[in-house]
Amino acid sequence: MKNKKIKKPLLTVLLAVLLFAVLSGGIYAAPKEKKASVTKAKTVDVKAWDCAGCHKDKKVLPDSHVPIKEMPYEACLVCHIPGEKNAGTLRTKIPGSHLHALKGVKCAQCHGKVKKPAPVEMSKCVACHGETAKLAEKTAKVKPQNPHESPHYGTSADCNLCHHQHAKSENLCAQCHKFDYIVP
Amino acid sequence: MKKDDQSEKTLSRRNFLKTTGGVAATAAAMVGGLNLLPAKAEAAGYALPKKWDDTYDVVVIGSGFAGLAAAIEAKNAGASVLVIDKMVLHGGNSIINGGDFCAPGTKLQQENGVQDSAELMLKDMLRAGAYLNHPDLAKMVAYNAKGALEWTESYIGAKYAKLNFHGGHSVKRAHGTINSSGSELVNKELAKAKEIGVKIQLRTKLVKFLSNKDGRIVGIEVRKDYKFPDDNSGKPAFIKAKKAVVLSSGGFSRDIKLRQIHDPRLTDRFESTNQPGATGEALLAACIAGAMDVQMDWIQLGPWTSPDEKGFGYVPLFCERLVGYGPMINPKTGKRFFKETGNRKERADAIILIGDPVIIMGDSYAVNKQIFPMALQKGVEAGAIKKFDTLEAVAKEYNIPVDVFLKEIERWNSYVEKKKDDDFDCMIFKDAQPTVVGPFYAARLWPKVHHTMGGLNINTDAQVIGFDFKPVKGLYAAGEVTGGVHGAVRLGGVAMADCIVFGRVAGTNAAKEKPWG
């Protein structure tokens, strides 16, 4: 199970385009929890940069934001870099599903080709992002505590406990601890 | 009003009644589906769903120490077993517990030269419990703790590394897990349960127990895909328990409403060491189904928690390892104020009486010897444990009158030298040394709600007893949801013993029940 498929955004996009071509017969998927402003119809076909395609008239970007029509994910990252006076990382600003979409990951890649998409098993996350034990090594120095390894659950806690895709992510540790993580 | 969002598969009791028609059903519908007030209680009160969504021999509620022990024993006795838990993660309080398992006369005690017996453990439990313990239940725990501990080692595979002391015990008898957390045991229980074929279903909340016309528990109504703490989340479902239900849902330390009914002092001013799901609705559901509750107003405050960190935190691991090695000081007076090795209730009451946080402290010898390095490091990083080069610096930090304080430390040191505390009769350990070696470490202490001693009335077979003093058929309970084992005060490290002893009894007996249908 150590087939880390893809890491680099560009590769992701390429693979996604390829997959999309293969699966183009019909991809069904819809976010599990919908915002009131998002219509149910065909969110699956909306391009990632097309906010109004789902959110209709509701303003989701600040007024000062540059136009994003046809903008690829790499272009987002030109401004969205961490640090003071920068736009900050995009990871906490929009839901995980949107990041996936921006990187070209289609609904069906996680939810499968089904009419009624169900919650995704953690094995799907791990298939692309790698085993959680490896992830925990990478975040070993995060303060005040490694978010991916705890005395309670080891490295086995489900990604989706914190990293939601169709709702705001949450800091589950914070229900008992004073850990002020920013959760993508 | 609940919305009718059940799928075709499920049938809420309310809708079921609507479809059956009749006077009783109309009455039920009139009260809005919240409560059944049937004209003919026997006919309608025991209405069961036409269709069960799931069927198991034994259904266990709660996935902590007790629930998983029950599930494992029931499964090994041949029953099909489902464990439900309302939270997104298994383990409840057990997975955040400090991992100390009290048992008398064990191998680890022998290796450490500790003389102990079940009789002495029982004596300690009864004395701490103000003799309010139900003696037969307390005896079950004291006399079976050793066997239970050995079962967790040999069968579950849990590992214990160190013998610890807890206030109120006569000797060191707390077997500390290798990672100083209950997760060592509860995660291995979970792995074992899964390995032998127990089904685990999280995010499933008990709504009510279902009884037949004889009052026998036959199943439960739950909400599946429940998202704590939203009571309207999830979908209703009915689970049939052919043999029995085991309730091991834990205590209600986080249930501010319920705990205030029994102890009105415990307002939201008092934090809790417990996980957020430690609320009492499952216990109350059992009472509604006929179970009797006992000693609900004995609610334990931990005297070793810090106001400088959330929840249980790291300070308890610091404080409890230091008592008998270092002094507790009231910063207002600069003096000691109570027996450091006293039981939880005595110490918490003494601190509340002072009205402001006190400190526990130790020198480098005591701290390096006694404190789990990770707990110390994390506590210091969190700012809850502080490090000082000199005793004067300690006094300065906590606004302690320095002259009185230095004299008090000298006085304490003289007691340590002769191993006898003339002021408060604190137990001073053989290997304790005077508090002289810098750097010194200290932490503030303020009590938090920790354990609810009261709960469901059970017998030594873990059967839940009803208001007719007879067992509620088909219902067993174990762990913190029960009452009577600990009386007024639960001693540290006895909860793990209680959970494993009674969890196993509950599971074994649940599997022996004759199926009702």
Side-chain angles (χ1 to χ4, degrees), chain B residues 164-406:
Chain B
N164 293 322
F165 175 79
H166 281 272
H169 289 278
S170 298
V171 294
K172 286 190 182 186
R173 63 164 71 97
H175 300 67
T177 55
I178 46 163
N179 66 350
S180 289
S181 169
S183 63
E184 164 68 9
L185 175 54
V186 79
N187 283 335
K188 285 183 174 165
E189 283 185 271
L190 182 74
K192 178 62 81 178
K194 283 181 174 170
E195 177 195 316
I196 62 176
V198 170
K199 171 101 196 277
I200 313 283
Q201 196 176 298
L202 301 175
R203 292 184 59 185
T204 303
K205 188 192 186 189
L206 171 79
V207 175
K208 67 169 76 132
F209 289 93
L210 305 174
S211 322
N212 68 10
K213 62 177 166 39
D214 305 321
R216 188 200 198 284
I217 303 295
V218 293
I220 54 174
E221 182 184 335
V222 299
R223 286 187 86 84
K224 277 171 106 162
D225 297 323
Y226 168 79
K227 179 97 173 87
F228 176 84
D230 178 5
D231 280 343
N232 294 317
S233 61
K235 287 182 178 166
F238 297 94
I239 304 170
K240 179 174 169 179
K242 274 162 51 181
K243 291 184 170 179
V245 175
V246 176
L247 183 58
S248 45
S249 53
F252 56 95
S253 285
R254 285 267 183 202
D255 199 322
I256 295 174
K257 194 172 179 180
L258 181 57
R259 76 188 194 200
Q260 272 193 90
I261 285 174
H262 296 285
D263 186 342
R265 297 172 303 164
L266 302 181
T267 61
D268 56 7
R269 278 196 312 125
F270 288 89
E271 239 247 81
S272 171
T273 59
N274 287 203
Q275 57 106 1
T279 50
E281 71 283 344
L283 190 162
L284 296 178
C287 292
I288 291 167
M292 187 195 286
D293 55 343
V294 296
Q295 300 177 344
M296 290 284 282
D297 49 353
W298 286 102
I299 298 175
Q300 179 171 84
L301 293 149
W304 18 245
T305 44
S306 160
D308 303 319
E309 58 184 352
K310 260 175 109 166
F312 189 79
Y314 301 105
V315 171
L317 300 173
F318 176 77
C319 178
E320 282 307 85
R321 295 290 85 75
L322 270 189
V323 294
Y325 291 92
M328 284 195 309
I329 300 286
N330 174 5
K332 282 185 206 165
T333 61
K335 290 188 170 180
R336 292 175 63 222
F337 60 96
F338 200 76
K339 177 180 179 173
E340 285 81 355
T341 50
N343 76 40
R344 294 175 171 189
K345 178 165 176 54
E346 298 166 342
R347 288 156 62 194
D349 286 349
I351 299 170
I352 292 171
L353 198 65
I354 285 171
D356 283 306
V358 298
I359 64 163
I360 175 84
M361 58 176 291
D363 72 350
S364 282
Y365 166 78
V367 168
N368 293 338
K369 186 180 170 307
Q370 285 297 106
I371 314 296
F372 188 58
M374 187 61 93
L376 180 65
Q377 185 201 330
K378 294 290 172 192
V380 169
E381 276 172 18
I385 300 171
K386 291 197 159 83
K387 190 177 167 182
F388 304 92
D389 290 334
T390 62
L391 289 170
E392 286 79 2
V394 176
K396 194 167 174 229
E397 170 69 23
Y398 300 106
N399 288 321
I400 306 172
V402 64
D403 295 343
V404 187
F405 174 62
L406 293 178

Side-chain angles (χ1 to χ4, degrees), chain B residues 1-6 12 14 223 230 232-234 236:
Chain B
M1 271 243 188
K2 270 196 292 185
K3 56 180 180 181
D4 290 327
D5 59 352
Q6 67 268 21
S12 77
R14 181 175 160 222
R223 286 187 86 84
D230 178 5
N232 294 317
S233 61

Side-chain angles (χ1 to χ4, degrees), chain A residues 9 13 71-78 90-91 94 99 102-104:
Chain A
V13 173
M71 187 185 276
Y73 177 62
E74 287 71 21
C76 304
L77 300 184
V78 171
L90 199 55
R91 288 168 147 226
I94 54 175
L99 276 171
L102 273 169
K103 293 185 180 186

Side-chain angles (χ1 to χ4, degrees), chain A residues 32 143-146 151-154 157-158 161 164 170 172 174-179, chain B residues 88-90 95-96 179 181 183 187 227 274-276 308-311 314 377-378 381:
Chain A
K32 207 181 109 224
K143 294 285 168 189
Q145 178 81 43
N146 189 346
H152 318 297
Y153 313 104
D158 195 306
L161 291 170
H164 304 316
E170 65 183 295
L172 198 76
Q175 66 181 18
C176 297
H177 297 279
K178 248 188 203 167
F179 301 163
Chain B
V88 293
L89 285 159
H90 68 275
I95 213 160
I96 63 172
N179 66 350
S181 169
S183 63
N187 283 335
K227 179 97 173 87
N274 287 203
Q275 57 106 1
D308 303 319
E309 58 184 352
K310 260 175 109 166
Y314 301 105
Q377 185 201 330
K378 294 290 172 192
E381 276 172 18

Side-chain angles (χ1 to χ4, degrees), chain B residues 83-160:
Chain B
V83 176
I84 65 164
D85 198 298
K86 71 180 174 187
M87 302 304 279
V88 293
L89 285 159
H90 68 275
N93 275 335
S94 302
I95 213 160
I96 63 172
N97 135 313
D100 276 342
F101 192 134
C102 278
T106 65
K107 208 168 139 240
L108 194 59
Q109 282 184 319
Q110 273 172 22
E111 285 166 12
N112 284 271
V114 176
Q115 287 274 330
D116 198 8
S117 67
E119 199 184 351
L120 184 60
M121 177 160 161
L122 178 61
K123 220 172 138 189
D124 288 344
M125 286 172 67
L126 296 177
R127 190 180 50 214
Y131 302 95
L132 292 174
N133 323 53
H134 290 203
D136 51 341
L137 299 181
K139 192 174 175 187
M140 272 290 286
V141 172
Y143 281 75
N144 292 287
K146 180 172 176 251
L149 178 82
E150 286 167 358
W151 179 78
T152 67
E153 289 178 297
S154 61
Y155 181 66
I156 303 296
K159 291 195 169 66
Y160 302 87

Side-chain angles (χ1 to χ4, degrees), chain A residues 105-132:
Chain A
V105 180
K106 293 289 170 186
C107 309
Q109 279 174 259
C110 299
H111 289 283
K113 233 172 113 180
V114 290
K115 282 201 171 175
K116 271 194 170 177
V120 171
E121 298 276 324
M122 179 174 158
S123 56
K124 281 276 190 334
C125 313
V126 173
C128 292
H129 294 277
E131 293 293 337
T132 49

